[in-house]
Amino acid sequence: MADVGGTLTFDDIVIDGELPDLPSFIPMTDGSAVTQLDASLRWPAYGVGMRRVFSPDTHTIYPRFAGKQAREALALRDGQKAVLVGYGEDPLVEAFWTYRKRDGLVEEIASQGWDLVLAPNYSIYGNWPRTEHLLNMRRCLMIAQEFADLGVAAVPNVYWFRLEDLKRYTAWIEDSPPPAIAVNVQTVRENSNWDTWALPGLYWLAENLPADLPVILTGLSRVDRIAQVVALFGNRLTLISQNPHQYALHGAIMTANGREDIHARPADAFAATVQFMASLLPGRQPA
């Protein structure tokens, strides 16, 4: 309780900042230079996961990013944006929370010049004590505020377990709207979890969030699910996915019929899947 400021409310949290212009689809990469993958695409933004920047073993920033600008490390062109997707397995994000004050981790990442940071997500499991839910919902907002207070465009991740959680978020957003909200759905693989938890919550948010509040979803790759969230959020939706990169490593592409193994060059496969996934989303894509 002391670690989260002695309260489980959201009343004292303010996440200021302005969301940069983003395409409606942002592919994630492994954190190395995007030169080859981007050769024919010239895509306006690329995402990198937290585990590519912050080591789960040493609990320090990897040398590739330490003391460097993110756009330099990724070899981005002028105008292309770098997005840190601060999600990861529980040991990774818990270590980031534990060591962030001692080692100045938030300050170091802020100094790297990311155009957008999706703040780390702290898990909510159904078989955990309710107090853990409340602590982790507050931590998700607190750490976004820590980035925002350093001038970073930061977006909080929101998780929920009950309807009352969603109501708390929307009441807070009404009082202190953040630049956007983000939801990490990359671990929602089973249809049962999608149908009983993720999708009902997204429906509720679509109905109750301010109509102009941007929504960023990470991890969707199925065509039917993408169609569902497009119907909910329209052109205020941004989708982030590592699917193009994962498929490209095996020469595969994503199509309307699912994965196709065509043994393409990685750069060609990556470009094909990025363009296909972008075609499923409304607006804001490069010509």
Side-chain angles (χ1 to χ4, degrees):
M1 284 298 297
D3 208 27
V4 298
T7 179
L8 297 174
T9 69
F10 302 157
D11 298 347
D12 60 323
I13 297 175
V14 178
I15 302 171
D16 290 323
E18 187 173 334
L19 196 69
D21 290 334
L22 299 171
S24 53
F25 180 70
I26 299 174
M28 292 176 64
T29 72
D30 64 0
S32 56
V34 303
T35 308
Q36 291 185 343
L37 294 178
D38 189 58
S40 64
L41 271 178
R42 296 178 177 262
W43 206 251
Y46 283 92
V48 177
M50 177 66 85
R51 69 187 179 95
R52 308 293 188 179
V53 177
F54 176 67
S55 169
D57 300 318
T58 65
H59 302 151
T60 60
I61 302 297
Y62 280 118
R64 180 186 299 168
F65 288 94
K68 299 176 183 176
Q69 292 293 289
R71 299 179 72 259
E72 172 192 358
L74 298 175
L76 298 182
R77 307 172 193 267
D78 289 344
Q80 289 180 311
K81 294 180 173 64
V83 178
L84 177 61
V85 182
Y87 306 154
E89 294 182 347
D90 291 334
L92 180 77
V93 295
E94 292 291 348
F96 188 87
W97 177 273
T98 298
Y99 296 110
R100 76 193 195 289
K101 297 287 190 182
R102 187 194 72 181
D103 297 338
L105 294 172
V106 175
E107 290 79 3
E108 184 167 1
I109 287 177
S111 73
Q112 294 169 354
W114 296 90
D115 295 285
L116 178 65
V117 171
L118 303 188
N121 58 311
Y122 293 95
S123 297
I124 292 178
Y125 295 103
N127 59 353
W128 278 11
R130 180 61 176 163
T131 303
E132 296 289 339
H133 296 179
L134 300 176
L135 284 165
N136 283 354
M137 284 186 279
R138 180 166 168 84
R139 287 202 292 166
C140 285
L141 302 188
M142 282 182 62
I143 200 160
Q145 181 179 10
E146 291 178 13
F147 280 107
D149 286 349
L150 293 172
V152 177
V155 171
N157 181 80
V158 298
Y159 274 157
W160 59 88
F161 187 68
R162 300 178 180 175
L163 177 58
E164 67 192 65
D165 302 333
L166 294 165
K167 290 181 176 178
R168 291 178 71 215
Y169 283 128
T170 53
W172 168 71
I173 289 167
E174 184 176 355
D175 289 339
S176 303
I181 64 160
V183 184
N184 176 22
V185 292
Q186 59 188 335
T187 60
V188 186
R189 297 184 178 91
E190 298 84 2
N191 285 335
S192 59
N193 288 339
W194 176 255
D195 292 335
T196 62
W197 174 77
L199 190 57
L202 293 173
Y203 263 98
W204 200 92
L205 290 171
E207 286 288 328
N208 291 279
L209 289 174
D212 59 348
L213 184 74
V215 175
I216 302 172
L217 300 183
T218 299
L220 288 186
S221 59
R222 287 172 40 173
V223 172
D224 58 336
R225 292 185 181 181
I226 293 173
Q228 287 175 309
V229 297
V230 168
L232 291 177
F233 299 109
N235 62 9
R236 63 169 162 159
L237 172 68
T238 297
L239 179 63
I240 300 177
S241 175
Q242 57 186 347
N243 215 48
H245 189 264
Q246 288 180 329
Y247 278 18
L249 293 176
H250 305 283
I253 62 173
M254 179 178 171
T255 71
N257 297 318
R259 172 173 170 156
E260 290 189 15
D261 293 297
I262 62 172
H263 309 293
R265 294 190 313 155
D268 293 337
F270 179 83
T273 301
V274 168
Q275 290 166 335
F276 172 75
M277 295 189 74
S279 74
L280 303 175
L281 298 160
R284 305 195 340 255
Q285 303 301 342

